[in-house]
Amino acid sequence: MRTREAAAFCRLTEETLTTPMTAVDYVFLLQSWMAFQGAEVWDRNLENLAEGEHEVDCPYCGVMLTIVFGEEGHFASSEDYANPKAQRSPLRPIDPAQAGGAVQQLYRRALADGQRVVAHGLPYMLGQAVCTDCGTELSVLDRRA
Ligand SMILES: [Zn+2]
């Protein structure tokens, strides 16, 4: 879908992204912006960015891992991470410039718009994690594609 109306909405959304707003509002607007450009996967997954966590399953043992990348820190855990005894494994952020494509586009966009929380969280949200149950290293970006 690339009608004249969609192009107009896309332009309006892009202009609005540059105004100061909360990370939550920004991410919802960013979703719209990506959707107008036809990036459906990003449209569906971006809202986790504002929440500071999301879940992926381990490709080896199948356990559900919570990927945390906010004020709580940057780690993966298969347990309730609010429990201080929960095992955590550190996340390794991706390099947005190397990831290219939509990742790089989103990262640059958030930086240019002064959305530091979003720009900081994105490389961790899509980075490398280690399963706390079986030790398998996984690419969160690949698990979400
Ligand atoms: Zn595992």
Side-chain angles (χ1 to χ4, degrees):
M1 178 194 79
R2 188 68 185 174
T3 62
R4 206 180 326 165
E5 288 82 8
F9 277 125
C10 188
R11 198 175 49 249
L12 279 173
T13 308
E14 199 165 336
E15 285 169 15
T16 311
L17 282 168
T18 61
T19 60
M21 66 185 89
T22 67
V24 173
D25 289 344
Y26 182 77
V27 166
F28 280 117
L29 206 55
L30 205 57
Q31 280 180 311
S32 305
W33 183 62
M34 294 300 279
F36 288 132
Q37 299 181 79
E40 287 172 26
V41 173
W42 291 97
D43 170 40
R44 287 198 305 268
N45 288 318
L46 267 180
E47 61 192 58
N48 296 319
L49 199 47
E51 291 165 9
E53 68 174 68
H54 64 98
E55 292 184 327
V56 295
D57 54 341
C58 171
Y60 186 75
C61 73
V63 75
M64 193 59 79
L65 292 167
T66 306
I67 307 295
V68 181
F69 47 90
E71 289 171 4
E72 316 258 358
H74 307 93
F75 57 88
S77 182
S78 65
E79 302 167 60
D80 175 10
Y81 66 83
N83 181 342
K85 288 182 180 167
Q87 252 202 321
R88 297 175 171 195
S89 66
L91 299 177
R92 244 178 337 118
I94 55 165
D95 179 351
Q98 273 192 341
V103 176
Q104 189 174 15
Q105 187 184 10
L106 284 170
Y107 182 74
R108 284 188 177 166
R109 175 89 235 180
L111 271 188
D113 293 337
Q115 290 288 338
R116 297 180 62 179
V117 171
V118 175
H120 179 78
L122 187 69
Y124 285 98
M125 180 176 105
L126 302 171
Q128 297 285 124
V130 174
C131 175
T132 48
D133 280 24
C134 73
T136 298
E137 189 168 347
L138 57 126
S139 160
V140 181
L141 180 60
D142 292 347
R143 296 305 292 165
R144 297 169 61 81

